Amino acid sequence: MFEVIEELSTAKCQCDEHNEDGYVITDRVVAVFDGATDKANSAHPKPGRQAMLAMKQVATDLGDTDDPEIVAKQLHLAVQSVWDNAKEPVATAAVLLAEERKVVRIGDISVGINGKFDVPRKRIDEIAAAARAALLSTLLTKGASVDELRDTDPGREMILPLLQEMNRWANVSGHELGFPSINGNGTPTEMIDVFEVPVGGEVVLASDGYVNPQATLESSEQLVEELNRTDPLCIGPPPGTKGIMPGHGSFDDRTYVRVRMD
């Protein structure tokens, strides 16, 4: 039904037990999950990791349906199951239903089909990232060093109140700040993306740890390495809401899966 060409999931801190990304491959489903970065200094395991692990547990059953709304419902129920032991668990997902030749996406997972990518950006993230980049760029002109700003990231500190409250816009349809998310409360139908996959098509599912995912894992990783070298503060373009912390391999966890449909 499909051939797995390449796959990778790795944590930004290069310690797998803290990875808030994950993926699942069965005979009928290929899915990439991304738990939201913790913004409240929660104890381990972080809420995003708990949400990701809960969704992985139900992934096998997702191949039983061809209805995107049912897929979304099952993922929300999975996240809802960890409400008691995880504070505000939030995640995103993209699920390839192999028999139906369709990808169901909720949130900002990138979907590539035959090398053409749909890379979603949350408007609220763009606003926060632009403000952070403006402050850090200004501090650089005043003589602050890149290493100093990596250690302290006053831009991240400035936008943190917005990031901590942004989930109020999760699954709010019809507003520029609204964005699809898996938080246990359901996603409006119009915020669920569906992509059709042609026979023989190649499909890439990549979490937002890849700012600009490419048609191969190697080329995607090369861009990660280039970003690490040229823009460790992640002030862009495009700017990010966080930089690459000292000792980390990237600014975010990242997952990449590429398959070829029969």
Side-chain angles (χ1 to χ4, degrees):
M1 193 174 300
F2 62 84
E3 172 193 2
V4 179
I5 302 172
E6 49 192 356
E7 57 196 274
L8 173 73
S9 185
T10 186
K12 55 184 174 288
C13 61
Q14 304 176 83
C15 40
D16 287 343
E17 67 273 16
H18 293 161
N19 194 353
E20 292 169 304
D21 277 11
Y23 69 96
V24 168
I25 299 173
T26 73
D27 58 345
R28 293 187 298 166
V29 167
V30 178
V32 166
F33 305 118
D34 181 359
T37 300
D38 178 56
K39 302 170 184 71
N41 266 335
S42 305
H44 291 290
K46 301 292 188 181
R49 180 167 174 81
Q50 293 187 54
M52 177 272 292
L53 292 174
M55 291 190 297
K56 285 182 68 172
Q57 289 182 345
V58 306
T60 301
D61 297 332
L62 298 178
D64 294 336
T65 181
D66 61 356
D67 187 338
E69 292 187 50
I70 293 178
V71 172
K73 180 179 180 181
Q74 292 302 313
L75 294 174
H76 276 280
L77 287 174
V79 171
Q80 193 179 101
S81 72
V82 298
W83 275 359
D84 288 342
N85 57 343
K87 182 180 179 182
E88 295 187 4
V90 177
T92 61
V95 181
L96 169 63
L97 304 173
E99 291 184 359
E100 303 300 324
R101 296 185 181 279
K102 66 175 62 171
V103 176
V104 178
R105 179 180 70 187
I106 304 169
D108 54 7
I109 304 289
S110 293
V111 176
I113 299 177
N114 290 335
K116 183 178 181 180
F117 280 84
D118 186 278
V119 182
R121 312 279 191 205
K122 297 199 293 285
R123 179 61 182 144
I124 197 165
D125 274 350
E126 291 178 330
I127 293 169
R132 173 180 172 271
L135 177 59
L136 294 186
S137 297
T138 301
L139 294 176
L140 287 171
T141 68
K142 294 179 63 176
S145 70
V146 170
D147 286 343
E148 175 189 352
L149 295 179
R150 284 183 71 186
D151 283 335
T152 60
D153 202 340
R156 176 77 174 182
E157 183 178 352
M158 176 182 69
I159 65 173
L160 190 57
L162 174 58
L163 299 179
Q164 290 172 334
E165 297 293 339
M166 68 185 293
N167 286 328
R168 295 178 181 273
W169 294 105
N171 302 312
V172 175
S173 180
H175 193 286
E176 69 163 339
L177 297 182
F179 59 90
S181 177
I182 305 169
N183 57 9
N185 292 315
T187 298
T189 302
E190 64 271 19
M191 299 182 81
I192 301 171
D193 298 318
V194 180
F195 302 84
E196 302 294 333
V197 181
V199 175
E202 282 195 4
V203 180
V204 172
L205 306 179
S207 68
D208 64 353
Y210 292 99
V211 176
N212 186 17
Q214 301 294 300
T216 69
L217 178 59
E218 180 180 8
S219 54
S220 299
E221 283 290 296
Q222 287 174 348
L223 289 182
V224 171
E225 293 174 6
E226 181 180 349
L227 178 67
N228 291 356
R229 184 177 66 256
T230 63
D231 186 19
L233 292 175
C234 298
I235 56 178
T241 59
K242 55 182 179 290
I244 303 168
M245 295 179 62
H248 284 197
S250 60
F251 73 93
D252 201 1
D253 306 330
R254 61 193 191 277
T255 297
Y256 183 108
V257 180
R258 178 162 69 109
V259 302
R260 181 180 297 116
M261 303 296 294
D262 294 339

